Amino acid sequence: MRVFVTGATGFVGSAVVQELIGAGHKVLGLARSDEGAASLAAAGAEVHRGDLEDLNSLRSGAATSEGVIHTAFNHDFSKFKENCEADRRAIEALGGELAGSNRPLIVTSGLFATPGRLMTEDDGPPSDSAFPRVSEQAAMPMVSRGVRVSVVRLPQVHDTVKQGLVTYAIALAREKGVSVYVGDGLNRWPAVHLLDVAPLYRLALEKGTAGARYHAVAEEGVPVREIAEAIGRGLKIPVVSRSPEEAAGHFGWLGGFAGMDGPASSALTQQRLGWRLTQKPGLIDDLDHMRYFGD
Protein backbone atom coordinates (compact mmCIF):
# COMPACT_ATOMS: atom_id res chain seq x y z
CA MET A 1 0.00 0.00 0.00
CA ARG A 2 1.18 3.54 -0.73
CA VAL A 3 0.70 5.46 2.54
CA PHE A 4 0.87 9.22 3.09
CA VAL A 5 2.23 9.93 6.59
CA THR A 6 2.04 13.37 8.18
CA GLY A 7 4.47 14.04 11.01
CA ALA A 8 6.73 11.54 9.27
CA THR A 9 9.91 13.00 10.78
CA GLY A 10 8.51 13.31 14.31
CA PHE A 11 9.02 11.12 17.37
CA VAL A 12 6.06 8.82 16.67
CA GLY A 13 5.82 9.38 12.94
CA SER A 14 9.41 8.37 12.19
CA ALA A 15 8.85 5.04 13.97
CA VAL A 16 5.64 4.53 12.01
CA VAL A 17 7.51 5.17 8.74
CA GLN A 18 10.10 2.53 9.62
CA GLU A 19 7.38 0.05 10.61
CA LEU A 20 5.46 0.55 7.36
CA ILE A 21 8.52 0.22 5.15
CA GLY A 22 9.62 -2.87 7.07
CA ALA A 23 6.21 -4.43 6.39
CA GLY A 24 6.48 -3.81 2.64
CA HIS A 25 4.42 -0.63 2.30
CA LYS A 26 5.56 2.41 0.34
CA VAL A 27 5.64 5.64 2.32
CA LEU A 28 5.09 9.19 1.13
CA GLY A 29 6.27 11.30 4.06
CA LEU A 30 5.39 14.93 4.69
CA ALA A 31 8.47 17.10 5.28
CA ARG A 32 8.64 20.84 5.87
CA SER A 33 12.44 21.21 5.92
CA ASP A 34 15.45 20.08 3.93
CA GLU A 35 16.71 18.22 7.01
CA GLY A 36 13.42 16.37 7.36
CA ALA A 37 13.38 15.53 3.66
CA ALA A 38 16.90 14.12 3.88
CA SER A 39 16.02 11.92 6.88
CA LEU A 40 12.95 10.56 5.10
CA ALA A 41 14.91 9.77 1.97
CA ALA A 42 17.55 8.01 4.06
CA ALA A 43 14.81 5.90 5.66
CA GLY A 44 13.61 4.78 2.24
CA ALA A 45 10.51 6.98 2.01
CA GLU A 46 9.40 9.26 -0.79
CA VAL A 47 9.36 12.93 0.23
CA HIS A 48 6.32 15.21 -0.04
CA ARG A 49 7.12 18.82 0.81
CA GLY A 50 4.60 20.80 2.83
CA ASP A 51 3.28 21.31 6.35
CA LEU A 52 0.10 21.24 8.40
CA GLU A 53 -0.83 24.79 7.49
CA ASP A 54 -0.52 24.07 3.75
CA LEU A 55 -3.84 22.33 3.18
CA ASN A 56 -3.23 21.96 -0.55
CA SER A 57 -0.07 19.96 0.18
CA LEU A 58 -2.08 17.69 2.48
CA ARG A 59 -4.77 17.18 -0.16
CA SER A 60 -2.27 16.39 -2.89
CA GLY A 61 -0.44 13.90 -0.66
CA ALA A 62 -3.69 12.14 0.19
CA ALA A 63 -4.85 12.17 -3.43
CA THR A 64 -1.92 10.04 -4.61
CA SER A 65 -2.05 7.54 -1.74
CA GLU A 66 -4.04 4.45 -0.85
CA GLY A 67 -4.18 5.38 2.82
CA VAL A 68 -3.23 8.20 5.20
CA ILE A 69 -1.76 8.16 8.71
CA HIS A 70 -1.95 11.52 10.45
CA THR A 71 0.57 11.77 13.29
CA ALA A 72 1.54 15.44 12.91
CA PHE A 73 0.75 17.93 15.65
CA ASN A 74 2.42 21.17 16.70
CA HIS A 75 3.37 20.70 20.36
CA ASP A 76 3.98 24.37 21.13
CA PHE A 77 1.65 24.48 24.14
CA SER A 78 1.88 28.27 24.37
CA LYS A 79 -0.38 28.21 21.29
CA PHE A 80 -2.27 25.05 22.12
CA LYS A 81 -5.73 26.25 21.08
CA GLU A 82 -4.47 27.57 17.75
CA ASN A 83 -2.57 24.34 17.10
CA CYS A 84 -5.67 22.27 17.87
CA GLU A 85 -7.58 24.33 15.33
CA ALA A 86 -4.83 23.72 12.74
CA ASP A 87 -5.11 20.00 13.50
CA ARG A 88 -8.86 20.11 12.88
CA ARG A 89 -8.40 21.85 9.52
CA ALA A 90 -5.75 19.33 8.50
CA ILE A 91 -8.00 16.37 9.34
CA GLU A 92 -10.90 17.88 7.42
CA ALA A 93 -8.66 18.51 4.40
CA LEU A 94 -7.32 14.94 4.43
CA GLY A 95 -10.76 13.43 4.94
CA GLY A 96 -12.29 15.61 2.25
CA GLU A 97 -9.76 14.34 -0.27
CA LEU A 98 -10.48 10.71 0.66
CA ALA A 99 -14.28 11.09 0.64
CA GLY A 100 -16.14 8.34 -1.20
CA SER A 101 -13.08 6.14 -1.60
CA ASN A 102 -13.26 3.91 1.49
CA ARG A 103 -9.51 4.48 1.85
CA PRO A 104 -8.19 4.37 5.43
CA LEU A 105 -7.44 7.55 7.38
CA ILE A 106 -5.78 6.94 10.74
CA VAL A 107 -6.00 9.97 13.03
CA THR A 108 -4.03 10.51 16.24
CA SER A 109 -5.79 11.55 19.43
CA GLY A 110 -5.18 11.50 23.17
CA LEU A 111 -6.69 9.78 26.17
CA PHE A 112 -8.91 11.44 28.75
CA ALA A 113 -10.17 10.67 32.22
CA THR A 114 -13.23 8.55 32.98
CA PRO A 115 -13.45 9.05 36.75
CA GLY A 116 -13.64 5.92 38.85
CA ARG A 117 -12.84 3.40 36.11
CA LEU A 118 -10.53 2.47 33.27
CA MET A 119 -11.14 4.30 30.03
CA THR A 120 -11.88 1.89 27.17
CA GLU A 121 -12.01 2.11 23.40
CA ASP A 122 -15.80 2.25 23.54
CA ASP A 123 -15.72 5.57 25.42
CA GLY A 124 -16.36 8.48 23.11
CA PRO A 125 -14.81 11.89 23.78
CA PRO A 126 -16.75 13.89 26.39
CA SER A 127 -19.21 16.26 24.77
CA ASP A 128 -18.75 18.93 27.44
CA SER A 129 -14.94 18.91 27.52
CA ALA A 130 -13.14 22.25 27.56
CA PHE A 131 -10.10 20.49 26.10
CA PRO A 132 -9.43 22.22 22.77
CA ARG A 133 -8.04 19.23 20.84
CA VAL A 134 -10.89 17.82 18.74
CA SER A 135 -9.12 15.30 16.51
CA GLU A 136 -11.77 12.62 16.98
CA GLN A 137 -14.67 15.02 16.64
CA ALA A 138 -13.23 16.24 13.33
CA ALA A 139 -12.48 12.75 12.04
CA MET A 140 -15.51 10.65 12.87
CA PRO A 141 -18.04 12.48 10.65
CA MET A 142 -15.87 11.40 7.70
CA VAL A 143 -17.17 7.84 8.11
CA SER A 144 -20.52 8.87 6.66
CA ARG A 145 -18.67 10.40 3.71
CA GLY A 146 -17.07 7.11 2.71
CA VAL A 147 -13.74 7.38 4.50
CA ARG A 148 -12.47 4.42 6.58
CA VAL A 149 -11.56 6.60 9.55
CA SER A 150 -10.15 5.16 12.75
CA VAL A 151 -8.43 6.79 15.70
CA VAL A 152 -5.29 5.82 17.60
CA ARG A 153 -5.31 7.29 21.10
CA LEU A 154 -1.87 7.84 22.58
CA PRO A 155 -0.82 7.87 26.26
CA GLN A 156 2.72 8.89 27.32
CA VAL A 157 4.84 7.42 24.52
CA HIS A 158 8.37 6.75 25.72
CA ASP A 159 11.86 5.51 25.09
CA THR A 160 15.06 6.70 26.79
CA VAL A 161 15.02 9.99 24.82
CA LYS A 162 11.43 11.27 25.04
CA GLN A 163 8.41 10.45 27.18
CA GLY A 164 5.42 12.53 26.11
CA LEU A 165 4.32 15.03 28.77
CA VAL A 166 7.00 13.64 31.09
CA THR A 167 9.60 15.30 28.85
CA TYR A 168 8.12 18.68 29.76
CA ALA A 169 7.99 17.71 33.45
CA ILE A 170 11.70 16.89 33.31
CA ALA A 171 12.52 20.26 31.74
CA LEU A 172 10.45 22.05 34.38
CA ALA A 173 12.08 20.10 37.22
CA ARG A 174 15.54 20.92 35.85
CA GLU A 175 14.62 24.60 35.63
CA LYS A 176 13.11 24.84 39.12
CA GLY A 177 15.40 22.42 40.96
CA VAL A 178 12.57 20.31 42.33
CA SER A 179 10.42 17.45 41.01
CA VAL A 180 6.78 17.94 41.98
CA TYR A 181 3.68 15.76 42.13
CA VAL A 182 0.16 16.81 43.18
CA GLY A 183 -1.35 15.72 46.50
CA ASP A 184 -0.55 12.07 47.26
CA GLY A 185 0.64 11.54 43.69
CA LEU A 186 -1.47 8.42 43.24
CA ASN A 187 -3.16 9.76 40.12
CA ARG A 188 -2.09 7.73 37.09
CA TRP A 189 -0.86 8.30 33.56
CA PRO A 190 -1.00 5.40 31.07
CA ALA A 191 2.10 4.75 28.98
CA VAL A 192 3.52 2.75 26.08
CA HIS A 193 6.93 2.19 24.51
CA LEU A 194 7.52 3.89 21.15
CA LEU A 195 8.34 0.60 19.44
CA ASP A 196 4.97 -0.85 20.43
CA VAL A 197 3.09 2.16 19.07
CA ALA A 198 4.33 1.88 15.48
CA PRO A 199 2.90 -1.62 14.84
CA LEU A 200 -0.48 -0.46 16.13
CA TYR A 201 -0.70 2.24 13.47
CA ARG A 202 0.18 -0.34 10.80
CA LEU A 203 -2.48 -2.74 12.08
CA ALA A 204 -5.07 0.03 12.17
CA LEU A 205 -4.20 0.84 8.57
CA GLU A 206 -4.38 -2.77 7.41
CA LYS A 207 -7.22 -4.13 9.53
CA GLY A 208 -8.99 -1.20 11.19
CA THR A 209 -12.73 -0.71 10.85
CA ALA A 210 -14.50 2.55 10.10
CA GLY A 211 -15.32 4.51 13.23
CA ALA A 212 -13.09 2.43 15.52
CA ARG A 213 -10.96 3.81 18.33
CA TYR A 214 -7.76 2.04 19.34
CA HIS A 215 -5.71 2.49 22.51
CA ALA A 216 -1.91 2.38 22.34
CA VAL A 217 -1.65 1.45 26.02
CA ALA A 218 0.87 -0.93 27.60
CA GLU A 219 0.80 0.25 31.23
CA GLU A 220 -2.73 1.13 32.24
CA GLY A 221 -1.66 3.71 34.79
CA VAL A 222 1.71 4.72 36.20
CA PRO A 223 1.38 6.71 39.47
CA VAL A 224 2.60 10.26 38.88
CA ARG A 225 4.44 10.17 42.20
CA GLU A 226 6.62 7.35 40.82
CA ILE A 227 7.27 9.44 37.70
CA ALA A 228 8.27 12.44 39.84
CA GLU A 229 10.55 10.23 41.95
CA ALA A 230 12.26 8.84 38.84
CA ILE A 231 12.84 12.40 37.61
CA GLY A 232 14.24 13.31 41.02
CA ARG A 233 16.66 10.39 40.88
CA GLY A 234 17.78 11.27 37.41
CA LEU A 235 18.32 14.97 38.08
CA LYS A 236 19.48 14.41 41.69
CA ILE A 237 16.99 16.95 43.03
CA PRO A 238 14.34 16.87 45.80
CA VAL A 239 10.92 15.35 45.15
CA VAL A 240 8.01 17.11 46.87
CA SER A 241 4.23 17.19 46.98
CA ARG A 242 2.25 20.32 46.25
CA SER A 243 -1.42 21.04 46.78
CA PRO A 244 -3.55 21.49 43.65
CA GLU A 245 -3.50 25.26 44.23
CA GLU A 246 0.29 25.35 44.58
CA ALA A 247 0.75 23.00 41.64
CA ALA A 248 -1.11 25.33 39.30
CA GLY A 249 1.50 28.01 39.89
CA HIS A 250 4.39 25.57 39.66
CA PHE A 251 3.39 23.71 36.51
CA GLY A 252 1.87 26.45 34.36
CA TRP A 253 0.11 24.92 31.35
CA LEU A 254 1.20 21.45 32.48
CA GLY A 255 -0.90 21.91 35.61
CA GLY A 256 -4.01 20.86 33.71
CA PHE A 257 -2.47 17.42 33.29
CA ALA A 258 -0.32 17.04 36.43
CA GLY A 259 -3.19 16.06 38.72
CA MET A 260 -5.19 14.10 36.15
CA ASP A 261 -6.06 10.49 36.94
CA GLY A 262 -6.65 8.81 33.59
CA PRO A 263 -5.96 5.06 33.60
CA ALA A 264 -6.88 3.35 30.35
CA SER A 265 -7.14 -0.15 28.93
CA SER A 266 -6.09 -1.56 25.55
CA ALA A 267 -7.79 -4.93 25.96
CA LEU A 268 -10.26 -4.32 23.14
CA THR A 269 -7.53 -3.04 20.83
CA GLN A 270 -5.47 -6.16 21.41
CA GLN A 271 -8.52 -8.33 20.80
CA ARG A 272 -9.78 -6.52 17.71
CA LEU A 273 -6.48 -5.97 15.90
CA GLY A 274 -4.30 -8.74 17.29
CA TRP A 275 -1.89 -6.11 18.60
CA ARG A 276 0.77 -7.62 20.84
CA LEU A 277 3.05 -5.78 23.25
CA THR A 278 6.68 -6.76 22.68
CA GLN A 279 8.73 -4.09 24.46
CA LYS A 280 9.68 -4.87 28.05
CA PRO A 281 10.90 -1.47 29.34
CA GLY A 282 8.17 0.40 31.15
CA LEU A 283 8.03 4.16 31.58
CA ILE A 284 9.90 4.20 34.90
CA ASP A 285 12.58 1.87 33.55
CA ASP A 286 13.16 4.15 30.57
CA LEU A 287 13.30 7.19 32.87
CA ASP A 288 15.91 5.42 35.00
CA HIS A 289 18.06 4.72 31.93
CA MET A 290 17.88 8.04 30.08
CA ARG A 291 20.74 10.54 29.89
CA TYR A 292 19.59 13.52 31.94
CA PHE A 293 22.72 15.62 31.49
CA GLY A 294 23.82 14.68 27.95
CA ASP A 295 27.21 13.41 29.10
Side-chain angles (χ1 to χ4, degrees):
M1 190 182 298
R2 178 179 165 89
V3 187
F4 179 42
V5 180
T6 73
T9 61
F11 181 53
V12 171
S14 59
V16 171
V17 168
Q18 292 177 350
E19 172 72 20
L20 292 173
I21 292 174
H25 297 291
K26 296 178 181 179
V27 172
L28 178 66
L30 184 67
R32 66 176 183 270
S33 68
D34 291 342
E35 181 183 5
S39 69
L40 280 174
E46 183 183 346
V47 176
H48 183 78
R49 296 302 293 262
D51 59 48
L52 279 186
E53 300 286 350
D54 183 354
L55 300 185
N56 285 332
S57 75
L58 298 182
R59 295 187 186 101
S60 63
T64 61
S65 300
E66 297 166 275
V68 176
I69 294 179
H70 176 53
T71 68
F73 190 81
N74 186 335
H75 289 92
D76 178 357
F77 286 96
S78 68
K79 301 178 180 178
F80 189 42
K81 187 173 182 179
E82 295 95 321
N83 293 337
C84 290
E85 183 63 16
D87 180 55
R88 180 190 63 77
R89 291 194 298 267
I91 291 168
E92 291 176 348
L94 293 166
E97 189 61 43
L98 298 177
S101 69
N102 198 38
R103 284 178 282 172
L105 169 61
I106 316 303
V107 170
T108 304
S109 182
L111 296 160
F112 50 86
T114 51
R117 62 179 178 84
L118 283 173
M119 179 189 179
T120 78
E121 296 85 340
D122 290 341
D123 287 310
S127 58
D128 60 345
S129 175
F131 192 61
R133 187 167 183 178
V134 290
S135 309
E136 294 186 36
Q137 294 91 324
M140 286 305 178
M142 302 291 176
V143 173
S144 64
R145 297 178 59 190
V147 184
R148 183 153 56 89
V149 169
S150 58
V151 171
V152 172
R153 290 170 168 167
L154 297 182
Q156 309 311 311
V157 181
H158 62 86
D159 60 10
T160 57
V161 178
K162 296 181 72 173
Q163 302 86 22
L165 290 175
V166 182
T167 299
Y168 300 95
I170 292 169
L172 186 66
R174 179 183 283 113
E175 173 192 341
K176 299 202 171 185
V178 63
S179 182
V180 171
Y181 58 90
V182 181
D184 60 13
L186 297 181
N187 59 300
R188 296 154 291 177
W189 287 359
V192 68
H193 196 280
L194 174 65
L195 296 182
D196 275 328
V197 171
L200 178 54
Y201 276 93
R202 177 181 56 79
L203 289 168
L205 177 82
E206 295 170 346
K207 300 168 60 176
T209 58
R213 303 178 180 93
Y214 301 113
H215 284 188
V217 172
E219 295 178 279
E220 293 182 343
V222 182
V224 175
R225 179 171 181 168
E226 292 183 15
I227 297 171
E229 289 170 345
I231 294 170
R233 289 193 297 272
L235 293 176
K236 298 179 175 56
I237 57 176
V239 180
V240 300
S241 169
R242 293 282 187 263
S243 69
E245 295 75 21
E246 293 170 324
H250 175 85
F251 283 108
W253 65 263
L254 190 57
F257 302 97
M260 184 179 74
D261 184 43
S265 167
S266 64
L268 294 177
T269 295
Q270 295 182 55
Q271 173 188 325
R272 292 167 180 171
L273 289 182
W275 180 51
R276 297 293 177 262
L277 297 162
T278 63
Q279 299 302 310
K280 298 301 183 186
L283 174 59
I284 300 302
D285 190 42
D286 268 349
L287 287 174
D288 283 340
H289 288 88
M290 71 175 288
R291 294 168 62 182
Y292 283 86
F293 297 101
D295 51 7

